[in-house]
Amino acid sequence: MKTFATRPRPEPLSPRPCPLCGGARLAPAWDCGAFRFVRCLSCGLVQQNPQPEASAVLARYDESYLAYEEERQFDYRDLELLALADLRFEEAAGAPRRAAEAAGRRPRVLHVGCATGALLAKLREGGWDCVGVEACAPAAAYGRRLFGLDIRASTLEEARLPAASFEAVHASHLIEHLNEPGAFLDEAARLLVPGGLLVLTTPNADGLQARLLGPEWRSAIYDHLCLFSRRNLPAFLAAKGFAVERLVTWGGWAAGLKPAFVKRPLDRAAKRLGFGDVMAIMARKRLMDVDMTGHGDHGAA
Ligand SMILES: [Zn+2]
């Protein structure tokens, strides 16, 4: 499926260390002409470097993004529902859901980068109280109007939602667009109740297509700032206080890529063996934060 992609334009660019591990040893990975990706020699994260600043990135999400999403919103919703089913999300959400209900309220889900809110409208039918955050103001307004949803037109950080107020946080094809994915994971952890679930979907830079195609890979686009792998994303989540419960990948061969006859067997093998083009990961906020420094106050018994 076509991905929303803007063209390189004059925007202030700045070089930066690896946002995952802070490493400064970065090797050229993919030269895409007007922009390029580097690979961190410490953790393997692929990132665009130099990178446009966050304000320039946000300015891309105007009416044209709503037009793109409006046309595809139910296809994307159905893909998101398939990912949630593959991750066995509802089963994993059982414990935090029951805890919310025992406290006399409905379970709450936050969708970050919810576009028109089509997925939230579906989750609401399943008994979830829904909040969306969407940086594209026209898309947020469209979702409020069409579905009657609570969608805040802002970034996650600007939304200033209360701590420990969600049983689940969902973000599909969002984290690869962020300059500071670590700050996003910190905020998601703050918003979740202990034992709450974070679900992310993002391209897999370790997948077969990324390895074969490099700068020609369909996810090596100007709008993708960080491209994670099935190895470094779980490590990143673990460092941010999450326990990874499930990771699935899919898509062995892109539609339209030749030879076409390998698509079906490769798609099947990618899903089974984990070298698919896109990955979905489900992680649970740890019940208690483990103090890794050994200097923390463990409290009096
Ligand atoms: Zn790194």
Side-chain angles (χ1 to χ4, degrees), residues 23-132:
R25 293 186 312 131
L26 308 169
W30 304 323
D31 187 343
C32 299
F35 56 101
R36 59 180 191 265
F37 290 90
V38 298
R39 191 183 302 273
C40 173
L41 293 176
S42 306
C43 73
L45 181 78
V46 174
Q47 62 153 330
Q48 217 181 112
N49 207 328
Q51 228 170 68
E53 285 159 19
S55 56
V57 173
L58 281 171
R60 300 171 191 172
Y61 292 89
D62 54 15
E63 292 283 353
S64 61
Y65 177 69
L66 169 59
Y68 168 87
E69 283 289 337
E70 186 181 9
E71 203 181 317
R72 298 164 179 81
Q73 58 181 326
F74 299 111
D75 293 337
Y76 284 174
R77 175 200 65 188
D78 291 348
L79 286 174
E80 288 167 339
L81 289 169
L82 277 177
L84 289 173
D86 270 0
L87 291 168
R88 301 203 285 268
F89 166 75
E90 286 293 349
E91 185 187 321
R97 269 189 87 132
R98 285 189 294 277
E101 282 154 6
R105 59 175 182 82
R106 279 151 57 105
R108 286 189 284 231
V109 62
L110 171 68
H111 190 177
V112 188
C114 68
T116 62
L119 177 71
L120 286 177
K122 200 74 189 167
L123 293 175
R124 185 173 54 188
E125 291 172 17
W128 290 91
D129 265 356
C130 298
V131 176

Side-chain angles (χ1 to χ4, degrees), residues 13-241:
L13 300 173
S14 40
R16 41 183 269 134
C18 173
L20 197 162
C21 73
R25 293 186 312 131
L26 308 169
W30 304 323
D31 187 343
C32 299
F35 56 101
R36 59 180 191 265
F37 290 90
V38 298
R39 191 183 302 273
C40 173
L41 293 176
S42 306
C43 73
L45 181 78
V46 174
Q47 62 153 330
Q48 217 181 112
N49 207 328
Q51 228 170 68
E53 285 159 19
S55 56
V57 173
L58 281 171
R60 300 171 191 172
Y61 292 89
D62 54 15
E63 292 283 353
S64 61
Y65 177 69
L66 169 59
Y68 168 87
E69 283 289 337
E70 186 181 9
E71 203 181 317
R72 298 164 179 81
Q73 58 181 326
F74 299 111
D75 293 337
Y76 284 174
R77 175 200 65 188
D78 291 348
L79 286 174
E80 288 167 339
L81 289 169
L82 277 177
L84 289 173
D86 270 0
L87 291 168
R88 301 203 285 268
F89 166 75
E90 286 293 349
E91 185 187 321
R97 269 189 87 132
R98 285 189 294 277
E101 282 154 6
R105 59 175 182 82
R106 279 151 57 105
R108 286 189 284 231
V109 62
L110 171 68
H111 190 177
V112 188
C114 68
T116 62
L119 177 71
L120 286 177
K122 200 74 189 167
L123 293 175
R124 185 173 54 188
E125 291 172 17
W128 290 91
D129 265 356
C130 298
V131 176
V133 168
E134 173 50 58
C136 175
Y142 176 97
R144 286 195 296 266
R145 204 167 56 238
L146 184 67
F147 299 115
L149 287 160
D150 175 1
I151 301 179
R152 322 282 171 95
S154 73
T155 65
L156 180 61
E157 288 84 351
E158 287 164 357
R160 297 182 176 280
L161 295 160
S165 55
F166 292 94
E167 278 64 41
V169 172
H170 180 268
S172 179
H173 293 283
L174 173 95
I175 195 168
E176 67 271 23
H177 295 263
L178 303 176
N179 299 82
E180 298 296 342
F184 164 73
L185 293 182
D186 287 338
E187 182 64 358
R190 189 185 70 83
L191 294 174
L192 280 166
V193 298
L197 292 173
L198 174 64
V199 174
L200 302 175
T201 303
T202 190
N204 175 18
D206 246 2
L208 179 69
Q209 293 181 53
R211 286 164 184 265
L212 280 180
L213 302 171
E216 306 296 322
W217 181 35
R218 63 175 181 159
S219 285
I221 59 169
Y222 184 58
D223 290 275
H224 289 168
L225 303 181
C226 298
L227 290 160
F228 294 90
S229 73
R230 56 174 307 206
R231 280 174 293 186
N232 59 34
L233 186 55
F236 200 18
L237 285 162
K240 294 293 186 185

